[in-house]
Amino acid sequence: MTTIPASRSPLSPSLIATLPGRYYTDPEIFRREQESLFESMWFCAVRSADLARPGAFRTVQVGRESVLVTRSRTGELRAFLNVCRHRGARLCTQESGEVRRNLQCPYHAWTYGLDGKLVAAPNLVKMPDVDRVAYGLIGVALREWLGYAWVCLADEPPSFEETVLGAAVERLGDAAAIEHYGTEGLALGRRVRYDVRANWKLIVENFMECYHCATIHPELTEVLPEFAEGYAAQYYVGHGAEFGEGVRGFTVDGGEGFGRLPDIADEQDRRYYAITVKPTVFINLVPDHVILHRMFPLAEDRTVVECDWLYAPEVVESGADVSRSVELFHRVNEQDFEACERTQPSMASRAYRNGGVLVPTEHHIGIFHEWLIRRLGGPRA
């Protein structure tokens, strides 16, 4: 019988250690992640076009907070904590909706403008000392990029340029490379929401490596043959995986896709690029469309992933059939998430008490682990 050691034995030179299993199962570690990552960093909340008209709103779970994103009467996106300033009731209980002019708390009818200002409340005229701005909704920092609203709950948000835009530069090696895809002008062709019974870090780690691709992604490796060799696109700065010979598009059968996006550079044609924007966003770039994943970690063992397929507006407006290009990455998602759900229960096993190992093609995941430990303030017993 094999005995689980109290501490890890020396590793072979080819291998490096993963995080211990408790990092995927411990509610206290997940609470620290909520505080130090999801509530302190820029978080991709909603697609801007989902809030098309003034009065449209959507609520989003960011760490432990419910965040309300609205379109103001002047057309701007605003974000607030979804909490009434009177007695703390949840202001908007629906995930999405639209109001004519104001947001009203269903408990005591305190009413707020779309700019967050307190505009009305029962007997408010008898309380002239109440400052309607000071008792308005608590604002949340918001930036728009790639056609999405990114929010940050921190009192002093980190540099968006360094932490979000910087992730694209770090991966692609060129600040302008992602702009060629014109993502902010693309239209939503399909959205699929996945409820994954796994820790969010297992999903990130899976996305960052391709050691598993030959095993579980037959359709993907047909389109991108180099992935069968185990090296993910993210292993190399600036590298895009090249389509296989005879592959005409990023589709489930390798058949024709749609016309190349207008500003794609020649060197980006027939290539796939992947970017991880820590902590919870994946961006996938191919010549005729963009796929963007947003993760919403809800518990140490549950993550909702919302995946958008974005195309040139004329493709969507024409009613073109996008199912063959959607199907490719939908299958990849289902294959990946099944693998993560298969892994999650073992994180609580004595066999994984001290973690597992990363082979050389996965060593870059170790950098992600080091980043996580730093953000959490170092390991704790």
Side-chain angles (χ1 to χ4, degrees):
M1 181 178 68
T2 301
T3 301
I4 303 300
S7 60
R8 184 188 294 278
S9 301
L11 294 177
S12 302
S14 296
L15 306 175
I16 64 174
T18 70
L19 295 170
R22 69 179 184 276
Y23 276 82
Y24 306 86
T25 62
D26 188 341
E28 173 57 22
I29 290 178
F30 182 69
R31 186 202 64 77
R32 289 164 56 196
E33 292 171 342
Q34 290 177 310
E35 180 179 2
S36 300
L37 278 68
F38 315 137
E39 298 170 14
S40 300
M41 301 181 67
W42 289 99
F43 192 99
C44 189
V46 303
R47 180 157 174 78
S48 302
D50 288 348
L51 305 176
R53 294 184 296 274
F57 69 85
R58 184 167 177 181
T59 58
V60 181
Q61 191 69 26
V62 181
R64 296 164 296 181
E65 295 280 5
S66 175
V67 175
L68 173 65
V69 183
T70 69
R71 177 78 67 181
S72 75
R73 298 194 64 77
T74 57
E76 300 170 313
L77 287 181
R78 303 281 185 88
F80 308 95
L81 297 183
N82 187 21
V83 177
C84 180
R85 297 299 305 283
H86 173 222
R87 296 270 296 281
R90 183 65 56 86
L91 186 63
C92 293
T93 56
Q94 295 176 303
E95 183 178 284
S96 61
E98 191 171 315
V99 296
R100 294 187 63 182
R101 298 184 64 87
N102 300 310
L103 300 156
Q104 186 175 83
C105 177
Y107 192 6
H108 295 95
W110 277 42
T111 305
Y112 304 86
L114 296 173
D115 59 358
K117 182 180 177 181
L118 177 65
V119 296
N123 302 318
L124 186 60
V125 293
K126 297 180 180 179
M127 298 176 280
D129 57 314
V130 174
D131 187 320
R132 300 192 182 202
V133 174
Y135 286 91
L137 300 177
I138 302 297
V140 171
L142 184 148
R143 290 280 300 268
E144 290 187 76
W145 184 57
L146 302 181
Y148 287 81
W150 302 65
V151 300
C152 183
L153 275 59
D155 292 334
E156 296 184 8
S159 167
F160 191 86
E161 286 70 23
E162 292 178 9
T163 58
V164 178
L165 304 184
V169 175
E170 180 182 4
R171 166 67 188 92
L172 300 177
D174 177 8
I178 196 169
E179 302 302 330
H180 294 166
Y181 293 83
T183 308
E184 65 284 347
L186 300 183
L188 181 66
R190 188 74 57 83
R191 173 174 291 159
V192 179
R193 179 175 291 189
Y194 307 87
D195 196 334
V196 187
R197 295 290 174 172
N199 185 274
W200 69 278
K201 295 185 295 298
L202 292 177
I203 300 173
V204 172
E205 293 160 9
N206 175 86
F207 184 72
M208 292 179 71
E209 57 91 358
C210 216
Y211 191 46
H212 68 280
C213 287
T215 308
I216 70 172
H217 293 322
E219 298 89 356
L220 184 63
T221 54
E222 281 292 318
V223 174
L224 304 173
E226 68 182 69
F227 275 9
E229 300 172 10
Y231 285 93
Q234 295 187 79
Y235 193 81
Y236 308 98
V237 175
H239 176 72
E242 189 172 5
F243 291 7
E245 185 177 352
V247 171
R248 294 183 293 163
F250 197 73
T251 60
V252 70
D253 58 5
E256 196 75 40
F258 301 101
R260 177 170 136 181
L261 295 171
D263 294 328
I264 296 295
D266 289 342
E267 60 270 19
Q268 294 172 312
D269 195 18
R270 293 183 53 78
R271 289 186 179 271
Y272 162 83
Y273 298 86
I275 303 168
T276 300
V277 183
K278 297 189 292 286
T280 56
V281 174
F282 309 147
I283 305 169
N284 308 271
L285 308 168
V286 292
D288 65 336
H289 64 282
V290 171
I291 307 163
L292 192 140
H293 297 70
R294 286 170 289 145
M295 289 194 296
F296 299 89
L298 300 182
E300 62 274 9
D301 59 356
R302 183 185 175 207
T303 309
V304 168
V305 183
E306 200 165 88
C307 187
D308 290 349
W309 282 260
L310 309 171
Y311 300 86
E314 57 270 21
V315 170
V316 176
E317 291 166 5
S318 71
D321 183 3
V322 300
S323 60
R324 286 168 53 252
S325 59
V326 168
E327 183 62 22
L328 175 57
F329 228 89
H330 175 58
R331 290 192 192 182
V332 170
N333 285 338
E334 290 190 319
Q335 292 156 353
D336 281 339
F337 299 154
E338 181 185 1
C340 293
E341 291 182 334
R342 189 183 309 121
T343 302
Q344 178 66 35
S346 299
M347 297 296 98
S349 169
R350 289 177 294 168
Y352 213 79
R353 180 179 299 159
N354 299 310
V357 295
L358 300 170
V359 302
T361 58
E362 302 172 303
H363 280 192
H364 57 294
I365 296 176
I367 299 173
F368 168 64
H369 292 163
E370 292 170 359
W371 168 85
L372 178 81
I373 295 298
R374 287 195 305 271
R375 291 288 312 187
L376 297 182
R380 301 181 190 178

